[in-house]
Amino acid sequence: MNISIEMKENEQVTKVRISGEIDAYTAPKLRENLFQLSEKAGAVMVINLSDVTYMDSTGLGVFVGIYKNICSNNGKLQLLGLSNRLMRLFEITGLTNIMDISSEDEGEAK
């Protein structure tokens, strides 16, 4: 169970590409890497999940926490590249109704 997190940060947008599995073992690493960035005022974060092969509810919890932080600090979060399986997971939980989520691989935060 491995996870790889690549981040490119400039003054306006933090682009993140996650690869591997997001589960109870890897979610703490994901949270540790992204949570501090989500607390910046006006943060804009674009997270590409096209290389994520598996995610469980622990991973969903990390994204909900990041989303709440970003929103409370007047920022924006966009999730890109969700596989059908990941998209279904977000749909079942109702998160597609509140988060900016796309199955497309490319894009910018709105």
Side-chain angles (χ1 to χ4, degrees):
M1 291 177 226
N2 295 316
I3 190 170
S4 170
I5 304 165
E6 298 174 30
M7 291 187 282
K8 293 180 183 174
E9 190 175 1
N10 65 36
E11 291 177 19
Q12 299 165 337
V13 180
T14 300
K15 293 186 178 185
V16 181
R17 178 176 282 276
I18 302 169
S19 304
E21 299 179 356
I22 305 172
D23 57 22
Y25 298 102
T26 60
K29 180 179 178 184
L30 180 62
R31 186 181 190 285
E32 177 182 316
N33 279 269
L34 299 182
F35 223 72
Q36 185 175 357
L37 295 172
S38 73
E39 294 177 328
K40 288 183 178 179
V44 177
M45 192 177 298
V46 179
I47 302 176
N48 189 317
L49 300 172
S50 59
D51 295 327
V52 172
T53 56
Y54 174 81
M55 182 166 52
D56 66 12
S57 61
T58 313
L60 281 175
V62 171
F63 287 110
V64 168
I66 291 168
Y67 176 77
K68 285 182 177 180
N69 265 357
I70 285 178
C71 287
S72 69
N73 290 298
N74 298 314
K76 292 185 173 92
L77 173 67
Q78 183 179 31
L79 303 179
L80 301 175
L82 276 71
S83 66
N84 290 337
R85 185 177 182 164
L86 289 182
M87 185 64 88
R88 183 74 181 130
L89 189 60
F90 279 83
E91 286 172 352
I92 288 170
T93 58
L95 293 173
T96 54
N97 296 326
I98 58 170
M99 291 184 175
D100 183 2
I101 300 175
S102 173
S103 59
E104 296 298 314
D105 215 358
E106 297 296 321
E108 292 293 328
K110 296 177 184 174

